[in-house]
Amino acid sequence: GEADCAPADLAAPERLATTLGPALEPEGVDALVCCAALSRIGLLEDEPRDAVAQMLVVNAHAPIRLAQLVLPGMLERGRGRLVFLSSLAVLGMPASAAYGASKGALLAFSRCLRNELAGTGVSVLHVVIGAVDTDMRTQNIAAVRENAERFRLTRPLRSISVDECAARLADAIEDEGVEEIGIGDDHGLGALHAKDRAQADALFREHFER
């Protein structure tokens, strides 16, 4: 197939309409997959204020703005798929409070928007991504090692390959009956249906030590 490239700065959501405008017409967008994000590992008291603010903009504000841009066309055609990728951090991962907040915003946004769009033909998928072998994961591991005197991971989470993650994500996007799914989570928490929060807390305490 063919693809058009339209680079955009997600740290400046106010400019996305101008940057991405040509990509939205004339056929419109069949599926929007919001997967770009900033990630920071660290104790909250050590996090730079500006870095936290930028992460909230890129991880939460920008996807919401992108959804606003593609929704009119989807609603007009009566079909479309909005996909938002978050993280196991939404379940309470330590040393990820600000990052988890940005991804937790996407979880709430996805659920609210799904109910808002009921009956329109536009569906919403929220994906909890666990440990995947990406540059982001490598950077996070390096950050943990750099802060070994403050906190440490006593046992890292099992990771999956990028190809496996992409294949499972593609299957979930095509299945419009799927609303929430966990990928790269071998503990079964990613589906977000655990009735007992202690299950998630126990897992993270097993992997983390301050």
Side-chain angles (χ1 to χ4, degrees):
E2 297 180 355
D4 294 326
C5 183
D9 183 4
L10 296 185
E14 69 280 0
R15 295 202 294 267
L16 290 176
T18 300
T19 306
L20 298 179
L24 305 180
E25 299 296 341
E27 293 85 3
V29 175
D30 295 314
L32 170 69
V33 182
C34 293
C35 60
L38 296 176
S39 175
R40 287 185 63 85
I41 297 294
L43 302 178
L44 183 61
E45 64 266 28
D46 297 334
E47 292 291 86
R49 183 181 63 181
D50 291 345
V52 170
Q54 184 183 48
M55 184 164 55
L56 290 170
V57 169
V58 171
N59 295 5
H61 185 180
I64 292 173
R65 181 59 183 144
L66 288 169
Q68 286 183 309
L69 293 175
V70 302
L71 255 179
M74 289 182 173
L75 291 171
E76 183 178 351
R77 294 188 303 277
R79 59 180 174 82
R81 189 81 154 135
L82 299 170
V83 184
F84 303 99
L85 274 60
S86 72
S87 160
L88 284 177
V90 302
L91 300 178
M93 183 180 293
S96 305
Y99 175 66
S102 70
K103 291 301 187 177
L106 280 187
L107 171 58
F109 176 67
S110 297
R111 290 179 171 178
C112 292
L113 188 60
R114 182 180 300 120
N115 290 331
E116 182 178 318
L117 295 173
T120 65
V122 181
S123 60
V124 179
L125 169 64
H126 180 265
V127 185
V128 173
I129 299 293
V132 182
D133 289 327
T134 63
D135 290 341
M136 180 181 286
R137 173 171 167 76
T138 300
Q139 293 167 5
N140 287 340
I141 291 175
V144 170
R145 290 172 177 168
E146 292 172 1
N147 290 275
E149 294 183 359
R150 304 294 307 281
F151 64 91
R152 64 192 179 96
L153 296 182
T154 55
R155 184 164 65 90
L157 295 170
R158 183 185 70 87
S159 62
I160 64 173
S161 70
V162 172
D163 288 342
E164 180 181 350
C165 180
R168 293 182 60 187
L169 178 59
D171 289 341
I173 292 173
E174 292 180 358
D175 185 351
E176 294 191 0
V178 176
E179 297 180 344
E180 294 182 356
I181 188 175
I183 296 179
D185 167 24
D186 57 341
H187 298 279
L189 297 174
L192 303 182
H193 297 308
K195 295 182 180 179
D196 187 358
R197 196 189 71 194
Q199 182 183 1
D201 291 343
L203 169 66
F204 291 131
R205 287 168 185 159
E206 178 185 344
H207 289 260
F208 176 86
E209 182 178 76
R210 180 159 176 163

